[in-house]
Structure formats: structure tokens, C-alpha cells
Amino acid sequence: MDQQTSATLRADARRNREQIIEAARTMFLRKGPDVPMDEIARAAGVGVGTLYRRFPDRSELIKAVSQDNLRRMAELAGRLERDEPDPAVALDALLHAIRDLYLGIVMTSVSAVAVQAIKDNPVIQEQRDELLGVVSRLLRRCQEQGSIRPDIDGGDLLLMLAAVSRLVPAADDDLGEMAFHRLFALMMDAFRPERASPLPGRPVDYQDVEHLRQHGGLAGFGRIAPNDP
Amino acid sequence: MDQQTSATLRADARRNREQIIEAARTMFLRKGPDVPMDEIARAAGVGVGTLYRRFPDRSELIKAVSQDNLRRMAELAGRLERDEPDPAVALDALLHAIRDLYLGIVMTSVSAVAVQAIKDNPVIQEQRDELLGVVSRLLRRCQEQGSIRPDIDGGDLLLMLAAVSRLVPAADDDLGEMAFHRLFALMMDAFRPERASPLPGRPVDYQDVEHLRQHGGLAGFGRIAPNDP
DNA sequence: GTTATCCGGAGGATTTTCTTCCGCTTAACG
DNA sequence: CGTTAAGCGGAAGAAAATCCTCCGGATAAC
């Protein structure tokens, strides 16, 4: 059912499908995972009927958004690692892409439905591993060259991104846009190595993040779909 | 109606009232402003009836929580400014108090209902101004003594706190607790001067935050009560 | 120009959340 | 202790929010 997605679809239908995913990506970030379907449809400029025709239920939509996010990121990550010799520049570019696309890293790494969607699809799963792998390697190289503090791991980065991502700006608010960019930049400075003060606890890795997701250890984490186990 | 709050109340009733406020404080942070009243009641270990008897509707509860938050913080802020000569130590202590109490700075500074509640009560309003004043002064002194980067304002601090506060840990999860403390520390490091790279935009002040709240310029900001104007 | 595909959104069905109400408990006080 | 006024819990009816189907009309494709 998901295969003829882009193939046998009429032009307007394909356009609408993309608009829906785009709108859902932002709305999930802005209002949370149980934002009403009507609102998503309105934001996408289509009727609810169209939304339901393309995505029979909420979890299908979440799956689609997650996979789309992941595909974009994996693509970019691969390209950057291949073409950009300086890991600091590459990591910077990757994080900026997350910001500019409101990519909701939370969703692709953290939602149970999204995780299920990923497991269901070997290609996507490979993309996920690839993406996390690239981030890990870039991070390590940055730490080796001294451009990122040594006392953090990928999970720390992920959690910080998740926190800041929650404050995605409204579409038409310049001040919000400015504040969001600024907050993001401020966050990135937190990872710089100069005179880093000792952090409590220990570096948080991807496995920790997975544990937090599964056990609801942090509010706003996991349970991206209302009826997640 | 709010005056005999602590006065003419039977001992068990007063205890319950406090438990409700405590539970609501955390639940608002964990689940957002429209968390069902039943959940708050359950978390407080009381029946819904008790909750409604004490707080006739949601906005009364939000008001009570906000005022309670503000009272605690203003008290601590005043004490710190008076007794602690080093502004860096004082500011640090203030921020740690916010963390330890899950104080929901968001709510006290940012919700329309909370803002209304504050305007309704001159004493509380004075406490609010006092608190923001203390933070401003401490911040300025820290910047003068070189312990905080000079290119930020109070609003930047507030927004960062709001972002990180959203990831309040679950009650019984050690990993979540650790990650939360760590994230908080990481955030504070972002404000140190040694690693300051040029930030985009301009310093965000309290007035900007107020504007963002009123116009919904940042997701998750403002509209703490479902029917906020 | 024809037709298969797609669209929008009104509105009934369903789920979630609110709020009241009353019989049972308990703190307060002599 | 015993009395009593204050307080409690939570079942259940009311209200609100959300879901999702359905079909007359529009439009891309050829």
C-alpha cells in the first residue's frame, strides 16, 4: 500500500501528499503528537478527506513523516561525510539542516511508532544506522581534533536537540525565528571544549536514549503516538 | 475566596491542597497545560472531587501553581541577593533551585492565565518584578565580572530554561534524573564566556519574551490554558 | 472531450474530559 | 470519648473534542 506512493499517483495527489507530510512534520513539533488531524489538514491546505485517503490513521502518518525525515538526513549525512574533510564543518552543517528543516530528530530517534516503522523497513533501518553512525564518527573526530568537548556522547547531543527543537517558531513570526536560531546557536556553543566545567553523571549514549524512550524516563519523550505501548 | 486558603482550612485539607499544587506543578511540566484533571488528582493522591472543591476550574489551579512558584522563587532570590556576595554563585544557586523544584519558569513568566493571575494580585506582581529584577541584576553583575558571556540578555536565559525544563524526568527513573541534571549543566555551560561564538540576532529581553508569548511566536509558549485568548 | 482519479468538508459516531453529587470518613474540640 | 462540621472519594451523567466516512463536484491525463 505504501509502494505506489510516488509512482501511480496523479500529479496533484502527489503534491498534496508532500504538503501533508511537510505540514505534519511541523505540527507534530509545534503541538505534539496528538495534534488533531483537522489541524494538520488545514496547515497542509487540504481537506481531512484527502489526509485520511492517503494515511488511513495517525500512525501511518507518523511513519511517513519519520521515514521522510530519516531519508533526508541520511542522504545529507552520507554526502557530508564523503565530501567534507573537516568534521567540525560537516557536523555543523548537519545540525543546521536539522534546524532549518524542523526535522524533529525526536521523532526519528525516539518515537515508538517511528521506531517500529523503521524496524518494518530494512532500507529505512539501514538509513537510520547509517545516520547515527555518521553522527558518532563525526562527533568522535571533532573530539579528537579538539573542536568538541570530550565528555559527551551522541545521546547528549540528541537530548539537547530534542529540547531545543520543541521551541520551533511560528511560520510568520520574525522574532520567533530569530529567537529560535539564536537558541540553537547558544546550544551548539555548549558543546565547545574551551574550559568545559565538569558535567554531572556520565556521557549519554544512544542506548540510554532508547531506554529513556521506552520507559518514559523524560517527559515529552517517547509516546509520540497517543496509544504507544 | 483565596484568602482563607491556609487559614480556616482543616489540617488534612491544607495538606491535600499542597499535594495538589505540587502534583499539578509537575504534571503541567510533564504533560502540558491541558493534562486531564483526573491525572493531576491521581498524582496528588486525592479524588477529583477534592481537586474541584479546592480549585473550581483549571485556570484557578494554574493561578495557584504560578503564584506558589513565584512566591518560592522571589523569596529565594531576595535572600540570595542579600546574603551572597558573588553573583555567579547566587545565579547558579537560583538556577539550581529552578531545576530541583521543577519550578516551571515557563508558567510563571509565560502563560497568559498566569500573567493575568499576577496582574490580579499586587503582592504577587511585586514578587514577579522583584524576581525578574534580581535575575537581571545578577546577570549584569556576572557579565561585568566576566563569568557570563556579554552577548545575552535575560530573555535568552529564560528561553533556554524553558526548553530544558520540558524534559523534566519521570519520578522513578534514575537515568532520566541523571540525563536531566546533565542537560541542565550543559545548558549552563553555554552561557560561559570562554566558548562564546558570535550569536545570530540580538539579545532577547523580557519584553521580547512577552511578545513571543502573546503572539505564539514559539511553539509551546503561551496558551498554557486551553482557552487562552 | 472523456473519464478515472482525486478533492473538500459537513456531520454522525466515538472517545475523552469535565464536573456534580452524595454516602462515608475524619479532624477538631469540649 | 462523643459529637459534629468539614472534608473525602469516585461513579456517572453532561459536555466537548476529535475521528473518520461519504458523496457530489472538480480536475489531471491522454
Side-chain angles (χ1 to χ4, degrees):
Chain A
M1 134 187 308
D2 231 304
Q3 315 302 26
Q4 95 291 50
T5 271
S6 310
T8 27
L9 233 42
R10 223 171 70 175
D12 54 345
R14 185 153 61 252
R15 201 180 325 123
N16 280 337
R17 186 179 191 279
E18 274 157 25
Q19 283 171 353
I20 289 171
I21 289 186
E22 178 62 33
R25 187 204 329 285
T26 319
M27 293 312 260
F28 281 143
L29 274 181
R30 282 212 197 126
K31 306 284 191 95
D34 38 10
V35 54
M37 298 294 252
D38 314 38
E39 270 190 64
I40 297 175
R42 203 168 332 120
V46 304
V48 257
T50 304
L51 175 48
Y52 276 99
R53 191 173 322 106
R54 214 53 68 200
F55 306 99
D57 62 26
R58 183 180 293 274
S59 80
E60 284 303 317
L61 181 55
I62 290 177
K63 275 166 66 168
V65 170
S66 305
Q67 296 189 351
D68 186 70
N69 284 351
L70 206 46
R71 190 179 44 70
R72 289 166 183 252
M73 288 307 294
E75 221 166 273
L76 178 62
R79 185 146 31 98
L80 280 171
E81 196 180 33
R82 210 175 322 109
D83 301 346
E84 174 54 57
D86 184 346
V89 174
L91 190 56
D92 206 61
L94 203 55
L95 297 181
H96 275 82
I98 289 174
R99 183 199 64 185
D100 291 339
L101 298 172
Y102 306 144
L103 256 185
I105 190 88
V106 192
M107 186 160 287
T108 58
S109 328
V110 134
S111 146
V113 169
V115 167
Q116 191 55 48
I118 289 166
K119 279 187 186 144
D120 287 352
N121 186 331
V123 178
I124 301 288
Q125 187 166 20
E126 198 176 324
Q127 286 180 336
R128 204 267 316 255
D129 294 344
E130 170 66 6
L131 176 58
L132 289 184
V134 170
V135 172
S136 283
R137 286 193 294 277
L138 287 178
L139 190 58
R140 196 167 334 112
R141 285 171 60 200
C142 283
Q143 288 172 324
E144 277 162 9
Q145 84 170 184
S147 58
I148 294 229
R149 57 196 297 169
D151 55 349
I152 62 145
D153 200 345
D156 293 303
L157 191 57
L158 228 54
L159 289 182
M160 196 57 132
L161 279 171
V164 173
S165 296
R166 297 302 286 272
L167 295 181
V168 56
D172 53 353
D173 191 301
D174 288 347
L175 183 58
E177 189 90 9
M178 187 275 272
F180 179 61
H181 278 226
R182 196 173 164 80
L183 203 63
F184 204 93
L186 203 49
M187 176 208 78
M188 301 233 284
D189 268 3
F191 292 100
R192 297 177 50 145
E194 297 89 359
R195 284 195 50 196
S197 52
L199 294 178
R202 55 169 176 72
V204 176
D205 59 26
Y206 295 142
Q207 204 177 330
D208 294 329
V209 172
E210 174 64 12
H211 181 278
L212 287 172
R213 182 187 68 66
Q214 277 180 10
H215 293 71
L218 281 182
F221 244 63
R223 287 177 306 93
I224 284 291
N227 298 330
D228 270 11
Chain B
M1 134 187 306
D2 232 305
Q3 313 302 26
Q4 94 290 52
T5 272
S6 310
T8 25
L9 234 43
R10 224 172 70 176
D12 53 346
R14 185 155 58 251
R15 199 181 325 122
N16 279 337
R17 186 177 190 280
E18 273 157 25
Q19 283 172 352
I20 289 172
I21 289 185
E22 178 62 33
R25 187 201 332 283
T26 320
M27 293 311 261
F28 281 143
L29 273 181
R30 281 211 197 127
K31 306 285 190 94
D34 38 10
V35 55
M37 298 294 252
D38 314 39
E39 270 190 64
I40 297 175
R42 204 169 330 119
V46 305
V48 258
T50 304
L51 175 48
Y52 274 97
R53 193 172 320 105
R54 214 52 69 200
F55 306 99
D57 62 26
R58 183 179 293 272
S59 79
E60 284 303 315
L61 181 56
I62 290 176
K63 276 166 66 168
V65 170
S66 305
Q67 298 188 350
D68 186 71
N69 283 351
L70 207 47
R71 192 179 43 69
R72 289 167 182 249
M73 289 306 293
E75 221 167 90
L76 178 62
R79 185 146 29 97
L80 281 171
E81 197 180 33
R82 210 177 320 109
D83 301 346
E84 173 54 57
D86 185 347
V89 174
L91 190 56
D92 205 62
L94 203 53
L95 298 180
H96 274 83
I98 289 173
R99 185 199 63 187
D100 291 339
L101 297 171
Y102 305 143
L103 257 186
I105 190 87
V106 191
M107 186 161 287
T108 58
S109 327
V110 137
S111 146
V113 169
V115 167
Q116 192 54 50
I118 289 166
K119 280 187 185 144
D120 287 353
N121 186 330
V123 178
I124 301 288
Q125 188 165 20
E126 197 177 326
Q127 285 179 337
R128 203 267 315 256
D129 295 343
E130 169 66 7
L131 176 57
L132 289 184
V134 170
V135 172
S136 283
R137 287 193 293 275
L138 287 178
L139 190 59
R140 195 164 338 112
R141 285 172 60 200
C142 283
Q143 289 172 323
E144 277 162 10
Q145 82 170 188
S147 56
I148 294 229
R149 59 195 295 169
D151 56 349
I152 63 145
D153 200 346
D156 293 302
L157 191 56
L158 228 55
L159 289 182
M160 196 57 131
L161 279 171
V164 173
S165 296
R166 298 301 286 271
L167 295 181
V168 56
D172 53 353
D173 192 302
D174 288 347
L175 183 58
E177 189 91 11
M178 186 276 271
F180 178 62
H181 277 224
R182 194 172 166 81
L183 203 63
F184 204 94
L186 203 49
M187 176 209 77
M188 301 232 285
D189 259 9
F191 291 99
R192 297 181 53 141
E194 296 88 3
R195 56 173 61 79
S197 57
L199 294 178
R202 57 170 175 71
V204 176
D205 60 26
Y206 295 142
Q207 204 178 329
D208 293 329
V209 172
E210 174 65 12
H211 180 279
L212 288 172
R213 182 186 69 65
Q214 276 179 12
H215 293 72
L218 281 182
F221 243 64
R223 288 177 306 96
I224 285 291
N227 297 332
D228 268 12

